[in-house]
Amino acid sequence: MQATLTISGKTRVFGCIADPIGHVRAPSVFNPLFEKHGVDAVMVPLHIPPAGLEAAIAGLRAMPNFKGMAVTLPHKLPIMPLCDEIGRQGQFVGAVNFAAFDDDRRLIGDNCDGTGFVNGMLAAGFPVKDKQVLMVGSGGAARAIAFSLADSGVARLGIANRTREKAEELTAAVSAGYPGVPVEVSEADPRGFDIVVNTTSLGLREDDALPVDPDLLDPSQLMAEIIMNPVDTPILKAAKAKGCRIHYGRPMFDHQVTIIAKMFGYDFPVPGSDA
Ligand SMILES: NC(=O)c1ccc[n+]([C@@H]2O[C@H](COP(=O)([O-])OP(=O)(O)OC[C@H]3O[C@@H](n4cnc5c(N)ncnc54)[C@H](OP(=O)(O)O)[C@@H]3O)[C@@H](O)[C@H]2O)c1
């Protein structure tokens, strides 16, 4: 394999913490970006089993050239009490997906899943402000997206989920955080909404059921997806066939990369948006 980075004593070090570690993607996303933008930095995978998290964070804090980390399973919740500050979205979601040390070695954590989704929509020309949005799903990604949609001033948010209790719990949490935003538990029925967002894992497999009935979609509506692979999920294909505008899953990821890079101190353009 070809080495692409020249590491010296001046190189800033970032990490991606996880257990297991072999599947993590952040290093293969950030290292090419560091190289492309001429930044003297490297991101390394850090295999940290749960029992070692507290000691590992204390050790990383003690290393001034270690600047921050992408945080993935199982550390998204347990790292929270080890942070000195948690951003607004991280507090609402109750999970952190990145954390960076400031100049005083205070660890600041936050969650950018939802902001990545909303920013991706905006960049594609699909603002969510004042829109009626149906979100199908109430898992981890949905939780982050729901709070960001509310934060962005949607006119109404309907939340549908196979396990209704999870939709009820998420609806109550978003309502408590954003009392001015009408949030309700919904059926997976897109009629009456401007935007439908699939946050379920339905669509990862070709033979999955569809998250909403495409016969109930109309061409005035936007169907948004967060699944990245396949790119054209069955519900996106069906919505396109009905004449709806569609929004792919990838921009959510690309915009998160930009948000995390900014927290690491770098102003990178959104991947894919620059030459
Ligand atoms: N683009 C991005 O940057 C990005 C970021 C994060 C995640 N994602 C994608 O988002 C998807 C969800 O991730 P997650 O972390 O939120 O997963 P999760 O926490 O496991 O939640 C899965 C959601 O899908 C629903 N679901 C699963 N199987 C279903 C079925 N057979 N019928 C109906 N509903 C079903 C679950 O409903 P129940 O509550 O009833 O189980 C739940 O609402 C994944 O495909 C992931 O790849 C994309």
Side-chain angles (χ1 to χ4, degrees):
M1 197 178 293
Q2 192 188 345
T4 55
L5 291 159
T6 305
I7 296 175
S8 74
K10 293 181 181 150
T11 304
R12 297 171 125 205
V13 184
F14 296 91
C16 174
I17 66 168
D19 178 37
I21 194 72
H23 66 289
V24 296
R25 284 184 303 178
S28 56
V29 171
F30 277 91
N31 289 321
L33 275 181
F34 292 149
E35 190 190 19
K36 179 177 176 178
H37 296 289
V39 166
D40 188 8
V42 64
M43 181 182 279
V44 291
L46 297 175
H47 187 179
I48 303 177
L53 181 65
E54 191 169 351
I57 296 296
L60 295 170
R61 194 190 295 273
M63 300 174 196
N65 69 343
F66 185 88
K67 300 297 182 184
M69 66 205 99
V71 179
T72 187
L73 295 174
H75 301 309
K76 290 183 171 197
L77 277 70
I79 198 175
M80 292 183 74
L82 304 175
C83 291
D84 299 290
E85 193 180 318
I86 309 273
R88 188 175 158 82
Q89 289 302 313
Q91 287 179 35
F92 276 137
V93 176
V96 151
N97 69 349
F98 67 99
F101 289 105
D102 69 10
D103 291 342
D104 299 321
R105 304 306 291 164
R106 295 173 70 252
L107 186 60
I108 321 291
D110 206 352
N111 189 306
C112 62
D113 274 329
T115 316
F117 174 77
V118 168
N119 288 1
M121 289 276 284
L122 199 57
F126 303 133
V128 297
K129 188 172 181 340
D130 298 330
K131 301 292 184 194
Q132 309 205 50
V133 182
L134 171 65
M135 187 184 77
V136 187
S138 296
R143 189 171 180 85
I145 289 171
F147 281 106
S148 289
L149 288 171
D151 193 61
S152 305
V154 293
R156 174 167 72 117
L157 176 60
I159 301 178
N161 194 46
R162 172 179 64 177
T163 309
R164 194 178 169 90
E165 298 75 43
K166 282 169 66 180
E168 286 170 354
E169 189 279 326
L170 182 54
T171 298
V174 178
S175 295
Y178 293 88
V181 178
V183 189
E184 73 214 15
V185 178
S186 293
E187 299 305 316
D189 182 341
R191 288 173 292 188
F193 291 94
D194 306 308
I195 298 173
V196 181
V197 188
N198 175 35
T199 68
T200 73
S201 40
L202 292 173
L204 285 174
R205 292 191 316 249
E206 193 65 34
D207 61 349
D208 279 342
L210 294 172
V212 294
D213 179 353
D215 285 339
L216 302 180
L217 292 169
D218 74 65
S220 71
Q221 293 172 312
L222 169 73
M223 181 73 222
E225 180 61 271
I226 68 166
I227 290 174
M228 292 194 284
N229 188 17
V231 173
D232 277 297
T233 57
I235 192 60
L236 286 184
K237 285 190 209 164
K240 207 191 253 179
K242 287 286 291 187
C244 300
R245 291 159 300 153
I246 61 166
H247 181 71
Y248 290 109
R250 178 79 199 195
M252 171 175 169
F253 180 81
D254 288 340
H255 281 264
Q256 286 187 70
V257 170
T258 307
I259 295 165
I260 295 172
K262 182 131 187 133
M263 190 73 173
F264 288 169
Y266 305 113
D267 251 324
F268 294 157
V270 177
S273 69
D274 55 334

